[in-house]
Amino acid sequence: MNQIIPYGKQEITEDDLTAIIKILKSDFLTQGPAIAAFEKAFNEYIGCKYSIAVANGTAALHLCAMALNVKPGDKVIVPPISFAASANCVKYCGGDVVFSDIDLNTLTLDFDKVKLLLKSAAPGTFQGIIPVDFGGHPVQMDLFRALADEYGMWIIEDACHAPGGYFTDVKGEKQMAGNGKYADLAIFSFHPVKHIAAGEGGMITTNDEALYHRLLTLRTHGITRDQSVFKNSIVEVGGDPTKGQYPGWYMEMQELGYNYRLTDFQAALGQSQLKRANAGMEKRLTIAAKYEAAFSNIKGIQTTYLNNPSGEKFRNGHHLYIIQVEDRLGLYNNLRSKNIFAQIHYYPIHLMPYYRALGSKPGDMPVAEKYYAHCISLPMYPSLKAEEQEYVIDNVISYIEK
Ligand SMILES: Cc1ncc(COP(=O)(O)O)c(C=O)c1O
């Protein structure tokens, strides 16, 4: 192949371009109606009550940690296998990240290990938990909710990898990743390698009205325009006390927030892409099934395709398709020489120099570290052509069987 096959790739259609241009020709490049329209469409897709569009997934995590009042000394449980942002949001607010190992089957937080961690500590030691739907595998969030309630903790679900994925809860009900039924807040990213590409962009979802209103103000400097909650007096700010009215221009900064807004043209692109999300999901499932069929009988390749074949109980969102092999570096280099740009997700967060300086060390998370030594993510995106995937499969198998 002359063309590079990356591990993930956005797809921009004529409809996407039309949607962006419409906004560029309109009155609002930011803070206009496209944001609310995207948020409403996202509510419908994910099945949550409220969505808050923000600048990127990291900003989404930061705002969630702020909205849940993470403060210095707070301890938050995070898996070591994720993008660093899943942990960093705790540090932004001065809290402490406590890593808990993953389950080698699901590659997400090991529920039993979290349970043990909580049991072994004094009550009230931990304030929150950030399960990550890693690779697209939706965490069994109802179990974590029960545990969080028992210990008085909040949950932020990092659903960046799993829009469109779902699990079935103990009541037998299908729950879309990030739908706000069990987690207090969930977050998504619209980075180009993700399911919905907006350049940069993110979304927070929740069913909690109070958190929703707080997040709306935190997204824009902690400023509110809602007269019913203003704290300063009408007279002081130059309004008309006889009419009980604040002046039209007045807005109030009530707490420290940020400018974490999304632009309207990014929102329009996101909404346009969202229309293809179901079709994209189907393609991801087809690609995963084809990899699985090709690799399942090859000695030396461990697959992590976790779907129930009936597709009813569980659906992996398949941001990634990961295999584990003995000679990972050799396979990676060999694929690169063939223009297949596979990727590694992820180097364990607790072994990043920043977190080592805070006390973590090799051996702390044995399952995550073992997984990291062997994992490799193969190309997975809806526009991956059949012949490209066959080329990837042939090259992986011929390297492993050499
Ligand atoms: C699991 C996970 N969480 C958070 C993020 C952060 O999202 P963003 O890149 O939009 O800031 C990413 C993106 O790479 C991610 O993969």
Side-chain angles (χ1 to χ4, degrees), residues 82-102:
S82 184
F83 185 59
S86 309
N88 295 350
C89 63
V90 178
K91 299 304 299 173
Y92 295 155
C93 296
D96 297 329
V97 176
V98 179
F99 294 103
S100 186
D101 214 343
I102 59 164

Side-chain angles (χ1 to χ4, degrees), residues 179-216:
N179 73 358
K181 168 98 185 198
Y182 295 108
D184 299 273
L185 296 165
I187 70 112
F188 296 86
S189 162
F190 305 132
H191 180 277
V193 293
K194 301 294 195 298
H195 294 56
I196 295 154
E200 298 283 354
M203 194 70 88
I204 304 170
T205 54
T206 186
N207 287 347
D208 183 316
E209 193 179 354
L211 283 174
Y212 168 65
H213 288 296
R214 177 122 190 260
L215 285 160
L216 287 179

Side-chain angles (χ1 to χ4, degrees), residues 111 115 118-119 123 143-153:
F111 181 76
K115 222 168 151 179
L118 291 168
K119 247 186 169 170
L143 299 184
F144 278 95
R145 178 77 268 166
L147 199 58
D149 286 347
E150 194 182 333
Y151 287 88
M153 302 190 303

Side-chain angles (χ1 to χ4, degrees), residues 68-332:
L68 293 164
N69 302 313
V70 175
K71 56 184 187 314
D74 281 4
K75 289 189 168 26
V76 178
I77 299 170
V78 180
I81 296 296
S82 184
F83 185 59
S86 309
N88 295 350
C89 63
V90 178
K91 299 304 299 173
Y92 295 155
C93 296
D96 297 329
V97 176
V98 179
F99 294 103
S100 186
D101 214 343
I102 59 164
D103 174 335
L104 203 51
N105 290 317
T106 65
L107 307 179
T108 63
L109 264 180
D110 184 326
F111 181 76
D112 292 332
K113 288 207 177 105
V114 173
K115 222 168 151 179
L116 271 180
L117 177 63
L118 291 168
K119 247 186 169 170
S120 65
T125 300
F126 297 96
Q127 281 65 47
I129 179 162
I130 306 182
V132 178
D133 299 324
F134 174 68
H137 183 279
V139 168
Q140 190 74 27
M141 205 56 69
D142 51 342
L143 299 184
F144 278 95
R145 178 77 268 166
L147 199 58
D149 286 347
E150 194 182 333
Y151 287 88
M153 302 190 303
W154 48 256
I155 301 178
I156 301 172
E157 177 182 2
D158 184 335
C160 281
H161 294 186
Y166 59 77
F167 68 95
T168 302
D169 66 14
V170 283
K171 293 181 203 143
E173 285 170 17
K174 186 172 121 181
Q175 305 292 346
M176 294 283 282
N179 73 358
K181 168 98 185 198
Y182 295 108
D184 299 273
L185 296 165
I187 70 112
F188 296 86
S189 162
F190 305 132
H191 180 277
V193 293
K194 301 294 195 298
H195 294 56
I196 295 154
E200 298 283 354
M203 194 70 88
I204 304 170
T205 54
T206 186
N207 287 347
D208 183 316
E209 193 179 354
L211 283 174
Y212 168 65
H213 288 296
R214 177 122 190 260
L215 285 160
L216 287 179
T217 60
L218 287 174
R219 161 175 84 175
T220 181
H221 308 280
I223 287 175
T224 178
R225 290 172 185 277
D226 178 358
Q227 160 156 344
S228 70
V229 299
F230 283 171
K231 295 187 173 167
N232 289 337
S233 79
I234 295 176
V235 179
E236 190 187 350
V237 301
D240 181 351
T242 61
K243 294 204 174 109
Q245 262 177 10
Y246 285 84
W249 66 80
Y250 185 66
M251 51 192 177
E252 206 162 79
M253 185 200 141
Q254 297 190 333
E255 64 176 319
L256 190 63
Y258 292 84
N259 177 355
Y260 277 166
R261 296 186 298 259
L262 188 70
T263 66
D264 277 44
F265 47 95
Q266 287 172 306
L269 174 56
Q271 193 180 344
S272 177
Q273 297 236 331
L274 194 56
K275 291 182 188 146
R276 302 198 300 282
N278 281 329
M281 188 67 249
E282 289 306 322
K283 284 195 183 153
R284 286 177 188 273
L285 291 170
T286 307
I287 291 167
K290 191 163 170 179
Y291 276 137
E292 177 67 10
F295 297 146
S296 56
N297 293 324
I298 307 286
K299 221 169 137 254
I301 300 180
Q302 189 187 329
T303 61
T304 42
Y305 182 61
L306 292 159
N307 275 343
N308 176 329
S310 76
E312 283 306 314
K313 290 258 174 224
F314 177 88
R315 186 161 82 183
N316 191 315
H318 275 305
H319 166 50
L320 303 173
Y321 185 83
I322 301 164
I323 57 170
Q324 294 172 66
V325 297
E326 193 52 39
D327 176 16
R328 191 262 309 277
L329 178 62
L331 177 61
Y332 173 87

